[in-house]
């Protein structure tokens, strides 16, 4: 088994070193029979992101799409072309749990699993109102069988990905669109809260309707 870990990045010099360190820690927990490697897809980066990725000795591709769906897709297809049979997606502003990959392997080995939708923890509530935190906790279901879809914590088999046509080349909700295609073709999806990452609580969104925008909307509603 070969795991490709695909990380899109657009000007993430502040966060990507931590992300890559967490991914490398997760890789080290795997048995020696399983190979895993990260691939960063640098999209229209004008900061030091590329330099940091290079210094970490991580493979990368460069593109200029400014479209996260297209960026994820090029990364996934590159990983599959290089032999990856399982793909794990995260984001450059996120930190994966040390057992992130081990838990994925556990799910695959114990039940029919083509796709795993994991959960996210928020890294800090310090700059947000207490009401926003409470609203988020009320909304978020941190349990097995949860209903949440995060591009920053989504994994799947190469066969399933290719069969449904992959990530749509859209600027947001590419993760929801892909899982919808998996569901439409009856692929086995595991909705797991054992596969965990911690993501940034920043309110400046890279994707116009992504997680940052969701938090920002909660915050704005509570300020008015």
């Amino acid at each position: 088994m070969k795991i490709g870990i695909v990380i899109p990045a657009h000007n993430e010099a502040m966060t990507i070193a931590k992300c890559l360190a967490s991914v490398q820690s997760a890789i080290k927990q795997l048995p020696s029979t399983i190979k895993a490697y990260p691939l960063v897809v640098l999209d229209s980066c004008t900061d030091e992101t590329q330099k940091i990725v290079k210094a970490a000795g991580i493979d990368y591709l460069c593109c200029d799409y400014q479209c996260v769906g297209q960026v994820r897709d090029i990364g996934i297809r590159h990983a599959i072309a290089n032999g990856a049979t399982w793909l794990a997606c995260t984001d450059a502003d996120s930190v994966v749990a040390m057992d992130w990959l081990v838990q994925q392997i556990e799910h695959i080995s114990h039940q029919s699993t083509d796709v795993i939708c994991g959960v996210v923890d928020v890294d800090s509530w310090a700059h947000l109102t207490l009401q926003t935190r409470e609203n988020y906790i009320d909304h978020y279901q941190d349990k097995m069988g949860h209903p949440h879809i995060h591009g920053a914590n989504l994994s799947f088999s190469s066969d399933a990905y290719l069969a449904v046509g992959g990530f749509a080349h859209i600027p947001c909700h590419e993760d929801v669109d892909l899982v919808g295609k998996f569901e439409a073709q009856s692929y086995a999806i595991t909705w797991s809260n054992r596969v965990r990452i911690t993501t940034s609580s920043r309110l400046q969104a890279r994707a116009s309707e992504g997680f940052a925008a969701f938090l920002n909307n909660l915050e704005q509603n509570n300020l008015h």
Side-chain angles (χ1 to χ4, degrees):
M1 184 181 196
K2 191 172 181 186
I3 303 173
I5 301 154
V6 176
I7 308 160
H10 170 59
N11 290 346
E12 296 287 9
M14 302 292 288
T15 58
I16 196 159
K18 264 183 152 173
C19 170
L20 296 177
S22 73
V23 167
Q24 286 170 309
S25 291
I27 289 171
K28 283 179 186 153
Q29 311 309 311
L30 290 168
S32 58
T33 51
I34 298 174
K35 300 288 173 233
Y37 73 97
L39 172 69
V40 177
V41 188
L42 301 161
D43 183 23
S44 315
C45 289
T46 54
D47 67 354
E48 300 287 295
T49 304
Q50 181 174 344
K51 193 180 282 187
I52 295 164
V53 173
K54 258 182 156 167
I58 304 290
D59 271 352
Y60 63 90
L61 303 173
C62 295
C63 62
D64 188 18
Y65 296 139
Q66 298 186 36
C67 171
V68 70
Q70 197 166 358
V71 174
R72 289 198 202 277
D73 186 50
I74 189 179
I76 298 291
R77 290 181 187 277
H78 186 275
I80 292 171
N82 282 280
T85 52
W86 183 259
L87 290 307
C89 301
T90 193
D91 283 349
D93 68 342
S94 301
V95 170
V96 306
M98 195 173 276
D99 66 350
W100 184 59
L101 295 170
V102 169
Q103 290 291 352
Q104 292 177 44
I105 301 304
E106 285 277 302
H107 284 310
I108 296 164
S109 57
H110 285 97
Q111 69 220 65
S112 173
T113 302
D114 302 303
V115 183
I116 300 171
C117 294
V119 294
V120 303
D121 290 308
V122 174
D123 66 350
S124 170
W125 294 102
H127 57 290
L128 299 167
T129 62
L130 182 61
Q131 190 60 50
T132 294
R133 181 178 183 173
E134 287 175 357
N135 289 358
Y136 178 84
I137 291 165
D138 287 346
H139 156 84
Y140 203 82
Q141 298 178 43
D142 188 345
K143 62 180 186 181
M144 293 299 290
H146 66 83
H148 307 295
I149 298 169
H150 304 285
N153 195 2
L154 178 62
S155 47
F156 38 80
S157 73
S158 56
D159 288 347
Y161 186 80
L162 296 175
V164 302
F167 279 113
H169 293 185
I170 51 180
C172 56
H173 303 315
E174 77 294 340
D175 46 0
V176 176
D177 175 82
L178 180 65
V179 174
K181 291 191 279 199
F182 287 137
E183 288 178 315
Q185 296 199 27
S186 301
Y187 280 98
I189 302 176
T190 298
W191 304 84
S192 173
N193 75 335
R194 299 197 337 240
V195 178
R196 308 187 69 87
I197 68 155
T198 300
T199 198
S200 168
S201 59
R202 68 185 179 193
L203 301 180
Q204 297 73 40
R206 293 290 191 273
S208 60
E209 295 172 48
F211 190 73
F214 171 72
L215 280 183
N216 195 32
N217 288 341
L218 280 183
E219 183 75 354
Q220 294 307 317
N221 289 340
N222 289 323
L223 293 174
H224 296 136

